Amino acid sequence: MNGPEIQVEFASELHVFVPRARQAGTLRAATDGVSSLGHVIESLGVPLTEVGALLVDGREVPFAHVPAAGESVTVRTVARPQQVPGHLRFLLDVHLGTLARRLRLLGVDTAYESTDIGDPALAARSAAEQRVMLSRDRGLLRRRELWAGAFVYSTRPEEQLRDVLDRFQPELLPWTRCTACNGLLREATKDEVAAQLKHGTHATYDVFAQCAACGRAYWKGAHHEQLEAIVERALAEFGG
């Protein structure tokens, strides 16, 4: 684009996508007089999944607004908690396995692709199942087929989980989903899961749950305290 120029100011949270905005404060961007403001914002590096209100000379405009020369644009980030129509559920790409397991631990409906099936297939699944796509892949989040999406800002699972819970505030129902497949758990007897138990486990534990989808057995084993800590932190901050 090398047409009329506009001035663009980004919310500080969006500077991760436009580092020079952090240094310059307000950027000057060329337009072509035809493309939408949403297209201009994306061309500067910001996925529209991360954009909230767009203000032009102080008035709110839609993404479809075609900017004119000299306009001053303010780009705000998505308001929190972000509202999603219908039942809130997620789809995570191959790089977010730990986050997927922690969301499932909290009872949040979370699909996860453990292999790289490619952006088109992920976007198609997001649309078909009406799931919010969580990813650190900006290109994936720019795909028009997506039903909804959100960028995962941190590389640390603890921070990733807190950010997703803060942004979407899903209902938390800990210990109700299989962390392996996302299926729902049910109470199970020792006899029902005996084939999955080693001798020590069989002798030590009496309370079990089993995934109704994949059959995996659960009990309060060696890692339970670590998982309990994750659950307690989440409930303390986001469970109300």
Side-chain angles (χ1 to χ4, degrees):
M1 295 184 184
N2 54 6
E5 284 192 336
I6 59 174
Q7 291 186 339
V8 185
E9 179 182 4
F10 290 95
S12 59
E13 296 89 343
L14 302 177
H15 288 174
V16 63
F17 304 108
V18 194
R20 57 195 180 101
R22 183 186 304 114
Q23 302 167 357
T26 300
L27 298 181
R28 299 189 68 82
T31 70
D32 60 10
V34 176
S35 297
S36 69
L37 184 54
H39 179 77
V40 175
I41 298 303
E42 276 195 323
S43 72
L44 292 173
V46 181
L48 294 185
T49 59
E50 306 312 296
V51 176
L54 291 175
L55 304 180
V56 171
D57 296 329
R59 76 183 193 282
E60 188 168 347
V61 300
F63 287 170
H65 172 80
V66 177
E71 288 185 339
S72 179
V73 178
T74 299
V75 183
R76 293 179 176 169
T77 191
V78 175
R80 299 188 177 206
Q82 183 173 345
Q83 300 300 311
V84 175
H87 175 61
L88 175 63
R89 49 190 181 177
F90 297 104
L91 170 62
L92 279 63
D93 68 20
V94 66
H95 304 292
L96 298 175
T98 299
L99 175 60
R101 289 188 292 274
R102 293 189 179 190
L103 285 169
R104 290 171 176 175
L105 174 66
L106 296 172
V108 179
D109 189 342
T110 305
Y112 165 65
E113 289 292 348
S114 60
T115 57
D116 189 356
I117 63 173
D119 289 1
L122 283 169
R125 183 174 181 185
S126 166
E129 300 180 13
Q130 294 190 339
R131 291 182 179 272
V132 179
M133 184 80 238
L134 300 182
S135 178
R136 287 181 51 78
D137 183 342
R138 304 178 195 186
L140 171 57
L141 294 177
R142 292 180 63 175
R143 298 194 70 90
R144 294 292 180 258
E145 313 97 288
L146 282 180
W147 182 72
F151 185 75
V152 176
Y153 287 80
S154 177
T155 59
R156 295 170 53 85
E158 297 84 359
E159 295 173 356
Q160 291 174 345
L161 179 62
R162 189 180 184 282
D163 185 46
V164 171
L165 296 183
D166 178 67
R167 178 165 175 170
F168 292 97
Q169 296 189 12
E171 181 182 12
L172 303 184
L173 299 169
W175 316 109
T176 61
R177 286 190 178 272
C178 176
T179 56
C181 81
N182 195 45
L184 294 175
L185 300 184
R186 63 171 182 85
E187 293 183 3
T189 66
K190 185 181 292 190
D191 288 343
E192 288 176 308
V193 299
Q196 300 182 52
L197 307 180
K198 296 181 179 179
H199 178 72
T201 302
H202 192 282
T204 305
Y205 299 97
D206 294 304
V207 179
F208 299 91
Q210 188 174 32
C211 177
C214 73
R216 179 172 176 170
Y218 288 86
W219 61 92
K220 294 182 179 180
H223 301 292
H224 183 74
E225 288 188 4
Q226 179 183 354
L227 299 178
E228 184 71 49
I230 294 172
V231 169
E232 289 181 354
R233 285 196 298 270
L235 288 178
E237 189 166 5
F238 302 104

